[in-house]
Amino acid sequence: MYWTSWLLAGLAIALAWPVPVALSRAKWPATAPFAAMVLWQSLALAGGLSMIGAMLCYGLVPLGGNLAAGLRGLLDIFLGRESLDALGLVHAFALSAAALLSAHLVFTLWLTYFRINRQRRRHRDLLALLSSPSHDRPDTLVINHEAPVAYCLPGGSRSVTVLSDGLMTLLSPEELRAVLLHEETHLTQRHHLLLWAFAAWRSALPWLPTSRLAQRAVSSLIEILADDVALRSVSKSTLVTAIALVASGPAQLPATALVGGGADQIDTPATTSARLSRLLAPTPPLARKLQALVLAGAALLLALPTALLLVPGMLGG
């Protein structure tokens, strides 16, 4: 497992810096948003697994030639059947680091979920006071404000789309339909779950380039995916006009509710500019064969650290 630990460490380093930097600078993700989204998820999962796996394998080196044997040896130590001296200080430290990092990631995921749900509950309570149900649109609330505002608030069966009076006055019926289709796509495709996971990843490891770049990229990609769904029912000019008019409102009114508000805002001015540029100067979508290749690469990327960890004696100990 000695060489396995070093291979996993090398993979973790590659997925923490050069690979996400290169992907964040690439132009093709906007032409294949679903494939790019899957690839970012694979990078995050494979990177985390490689980090933890590298420390775990190195810590278990004195206890066995593969993961199963090493874990059995560790269990023997916990049960008092083997002496802790068999492990050694450096390897004990590596195992402790792996355990602490795993616990930190799980705890941060739960904490982010708790924080987001609390913010949504407060937001929902405010909406109960400041909004009224739409008479002709189910699961839609209308707030009395002259600024153009549109966003969605996830909550399972209680999910709603929120519009302002100002937006409904400003947009034509077809433009308003484009906005509603866009927001409803966020809810039906459950984009808030992706944003929750990547927000937790960044909170847990804010110093890691992967977490920062991935959160930014995923935030942009879900907007592109929602735009693509809207384009199936409305014209491109209608969607462009709707995006521009919605963006003309105050940037902080309100904080985006898809994740929970505040620092997790999704549709930033940079994202809006990228969306408009993509619609006004479209590029051909990535060829289907290349998209399939990206998806296959994402699967292989996730399978690599898994195989290194689980295949007994893969590297001869």
Side-chain angles (χ1 to χ4, degrees):
M1 281 197 297
Y2 178 80
W3 291 112
T4 299
S5 67
W6 283 105
L7 280 175
L8 287 169
L11 182 60
I13 292 171
L15 298 181
W17 180 255
V19 174
V21 169
L23 182 57
S24 68
R25 294 174 178 172
K27 302 297 183 183
W28 68 263
T31 66
F34 176 76
M37 181 83 75
V38 172
L39 183 57
W40 274 113
Q41 292 176 72
S42 181
L43 283 174
L45 291 171
L49 187 59
S50 298
M51 279 191 293
I52 295 171
M55 292 181 286
L56 178 63
C57 287
Y58 185 78
L60 294 175
V61 164
L63 302 180
N66 55 59
L67 183 63
L71 290 174
R72 284 194 298 269
L74 186 62
L75 179 61
D76 288 339
I77 291 176
F78 279 124
L79 295 177
R81 294 197 290 256
E82 293 287 344
S83 171
L84 186 60
D85 294 338
L87 196 58
L89 181 61
V90 175
H91 296 286
F93 177 80
L95 287 175
S96 299
L100 287 172
L101 179 57
S102 300
H104 176 59
L105 290 175
V106 172
F107 177 75
T108 305
L109 188 67
W110 174 84
L111 188 63
T112 304
Y113 176 80
F114 176 79
R115 175 179 60 84
I116 289 172
N117 272 356
R118 182 179 60 186
Q119 290 176 336
R120 286 189 187 142
R121 283 196 300 269
R122 291 176 177 174
H123 199 137
R124 202 176 296 276
D125 291 341
L126 286 174
L127 286 175
L129 297 173
L130 302 176
S131 68
S132 57
S134 172
H135 297 295
D136 53 350
R137 298 179 182 87
D139 301 322
T140 302
L141 298 177
V142 179
I143 57 176
N144 183 17
H145 201 286
E146 61 183 14
V149 174
Y151 62 94
C152 54
L153 184 63
S157 60
R158 301 175 63 198
S159 298
V160 294
T161 299
V162 181
L163 307 174
S164 68
D165 285 332
L167 181 79
M168 298 173 70
T169 301
L170 185 64
L171 301 186
S172 69
E174 194 67 5
E175 291 162 355
L176 184 58
R177 181 165 172 255
V179 170
L180 288 169
L181 287 169
H182 178 98
E183 299 301 334
E184 288 167 2
T185 300
H186 285 319
L187 294 174
T188 56
Q189 295 187 0
R190 289 172 169 78
H191 290 158
H192 56 284
L193 297 180
L194 281 172
L195 293 170
W196 160 50
F198 280 96
W201 179 249
R202 185 172 185 181
S203 296
L205 303 170
W207 46 269
L208 193 68
T210 306
S211 65
R212 173 176 51 82
L213 295 173
Q215 187 186 34
R216 185 184 303 166
V218 168
S219 296
S220 177
L221 288 170
I222 66 169
E223 294 298 321
I224 291 174
L225 287 168
D227 284 344
D228 286 347
V229 172
L231 284 174
R232 298 172 190 170
S233 303
V234 300
S235 68
K236 185 179 297 183
S237 61
T238 297
L239 181 59
V240 167
T241 304
I243 293 172
L245 291 174
V246 172
S248 66
Q252 298 300 323
L253 182 64
T256 300
L258 189 55
V259 172
D264 298 324
Q265 238 182 325
I266 303 167
D267 204 1
T268 63
T271 301
T272 300
S273 176
R275 292 169 64 195
L276 290 173
S277 297
R278 175 177 179 267
L279 292 169
L280 292 171
T283 55
L286 194 66
R288 289 186 179 273
K289 290 183 179 180
L290 291 179
Q291 293 190 44
L293 188 62
V294 171
L295 293 174
L300 289 173
L301 183 62
L302 189 56
L304 180 57
T306 305
L308 288 172
L309 284 167
L310 298 182
V311 177
M314 187 174 180
L315 296 175

